[in-house]
Amino acid sequence: MQNPSSLPHYDRLQTYQWNYEHAPDPVELEIPDVPGDWTFCGLPVPSPLGIPAGPLLNGKWVRYYASLGFDVLTYKTVRSTARECYPLPNLQPVTASSMTGQESQVTLTDQMQGSWAVSFGMPSAAPETWREDIAQTRRLLPAEKILSVSVVGSLQPGWSLDDLANDYALCARWALESGADCIETNFSCPNVCTRDGQLYQQPEAAALVASRVRAAIGETPYLIKIGHLTQENAARTFLEAVTPYASGIVMTNSVATTVTDADGTLLFNGEQRGICGFATREASLHQLQLFRRLLSELPQDSSQTQLISCGGISSVQDVRQFLEAGAQATHLATAAMCDPLIACQIRAELAKEPL
């Protein structure tokens, strides 16, 4: 099998725009089959292995990771208006152990150790660009691959919650018209402090947006991406609010905290940043277990909402554990950023010892 160090992946030392413009070409690899009858929000899929929106900046990035063995591909969050990325650094390696959400800070490091602070701010190409790109991507992707498109509302001065909900719905409809198989609304961005980045902490607002999106996309599978929720009451209230509309919940986006340099100086103007990677694995697993239990306690219709896990999943053992804990699929963002061949490697192990 090809050496992962020889395969391209997001270059954290370059700008977001540079990475957008330098997407790698798909590769030719022998992709092992994963035994079993797999579905994703009711759609047939060759495996439960997916990748969340983070690394898939455009259609060419989507097709590249599809060629590496990922079957659920999530197109990075798009908006109804163009939005620039935050300045560098956008991916800052950090030293962090297993996080719980109570950490006051983590410390940067020069070398990637498997965990990093994310600081993008949900950038987006203009709608005419991403709509055309999504349409082309769906045409070029193998039919069995699932293309999920992440969308977010773009809060404007003077807007009401109703305006924001309509903007989410507009983006969702555009993505569906362009060929998306699933729609994902991003209700969690730890680097955006306005309402559009924190909806998962506002159940009533989340329900309004979710209902508007559901009306816009009909029966199309609809997922909601959320952040780190640990309090049982808050988690239950959120689920009660959104499960009438959502096919699935994608978690955990990241665990937020501040970042310092080796001397203790705060980075990013002292604002929190989402920490992703190996350090979030246990937090993600605990949240999955909590949500699985809470869903089982809801009325039958709501309890059918599926859970999609991401956060620190990097091995076949992790995949098994998260699926056994109640995940319908596992998103391998952490591993994919460090080792693009991770899906192919996990598939090879699952072919020998099926789930």
Side-chain angles (χ1 to χ4, degrees), residues 120-168:
F120 288 98
M122 291 193 287
S124 174
E128 58 269 22
T129 299
W130 63 255
R131 293 177 71 182
E132 181 179 349
D133 189 45
I134 288 170
Q136 181 185 54
T137 302
R138 182 59 273 178
R139 289 194 300 268
L140 295 176
L141 269 181
E144 70 274 12
K145 303 286 187 179
I146 290 179
L147 177 62
S148 181
V149 176
S150 173
V151 305
V152 71
S154 300
L155 194 65
Q156 304 296 328
W159 269 20
S160 65
L161 175 61
D162 200 62
D163 294 322
L164 180 62
N166 286 337
D167 197 49
Y168 265 97

Side-chain angles (χ1 to χ4, degrees), residues 29-323:
L29 294 173
E30 183 177 345
I31 303 299
D33 291 334
V34 177
D37 295 323
W38 302 101
T39 61
F40 183 83
C41 293
L43 302 176
V45 65
S47 83
L49 304 178
I51 188 166
L56 307 186
L57 311 189
N58 54 34
K60 196 170 181 181
W61 278 103
V62 169
R63 301 197 309 275
Y64 170 62
Y65 274 100
S67 75
L68 296 173
F70 293 92
D71 290 316
V72 180
L73 296 307
T74 312
Y75 195 102
K76 188 163 177 59
T77 308
V78 292
R79 296 176 176 272
S80 61
T81 57
R83 176 75 62 92
E84 292 293 323
C85 184
Y86 287 172
L88 290 172
N90 302 129
L91 286 175
Q92 175 60 60
V94 298
T95 300
S97 57
S98 182
M99 299 184 68
T100 65
Q102 302 303 311
E103 294 77 12
S104 61
Q105 63 188 43
V106 295
T107 304
L108 67 79
T109 180
D110 292 331
Q111 300 296 322
M112 185 68 80
Q113 299 178 4
S115 299
W116 53 88
V118 178
S119 181
F120 288 98
M122 291 193 287
S124 174
E128 58 269 22
T129 299
W130 63 255
R131 293 177 71 182
E132 181 179 349
D133 189 45
I134 288 170
Q136 181 185 54
T137 302
R138 182 59 273 178
R139 289 194 300 268
L140 295 176
L141 269 181
E144 70 274 12
K145 303 286 187 179
I146 290 179
L147 177 62
S148 181
V149 176
S150 173
V151 305
V152 71
S154 300
L155 194 65
Q156 304 296 328
W159 269 20
S160 65
L161 175 61
D162 200 62
D163 294 322
L164 180 62
N166 286 337
D167 197 49
Y168 265 97
L170 176 64
C171 288
R173 178 169 58 80
W174 282 347
L176 179 62
E177 292 171 348
S178 299
D181 300 309
C182 304
I183 300 299
E184 176 184 293
T185 51
N186 192 344
F187 281 8
S188 167
C189 181
N191 313 318
V192 176
C193 60
T194 51
R195 172 169 271 179
D196 49 331
Q198 304 297 320
L199 279 172
Y200 77 103
Q201 299 186 57
Q202 305 167 57
E204 291 185 6
L208 175 63
V209 174
S211 67
R212 203 67 54 84
V213 170
R214 173 50 78 195
I217 66 173
E219 297 302 312
T220 300
Y222 169 38
L223 301 115
I224 296 175
K225 186 174 186 177
I226 67 171
H228 189 212
L229 278 176
T230 60
Q231 298 300 313
E232 183 168 325
N233 287 341
R236 179 184 291 106
T237 302
F238 177 81
L239 286 173
E240 290 172 343
V242 302
T243 50
Y245 315 106
S247 311
I249 308 294
V250 181
M251 53 184 178
T252 305
N253 188 1
S254 62
V255 179
T257 190
T258 55
V259 182
T260 70
D261 64 17
D263 297 324
T265 302
L266 287 168
L267 305 182
F268 306 112
N269 296 318
E271 296 176 354
Q272 288 192 334
R273 289 295 181 261
I275 309 303
C276 298
F278 300 145
T280 67
R281 181 191 176 282
E282 292 305 313
S284 300
L285 182 60
H286 291 158
Q287 183 169 346
L288 170 64
Q289 293 165 336
L290 171 63
F291 272 57
R292 181 73 272 162
R293 176 172 61 81
L294 292 176
L295 279 175
S296 70
E297 298 169 359
L298 293 180
Q300 184 66 22
D301 289 346
S302 295
S303 67
Q304 299 306 306
T305 301
Q306 297 179 351
L307 300 176
I308 315 301
S309 282
C310 59
I313 303 170
S314 59
S315 69
V316 68
Q317 291 80 14
D318 291 340
V319 170
R320 292 181 187 280
Q321 186 172 20
F322 275 76
L323 292 177

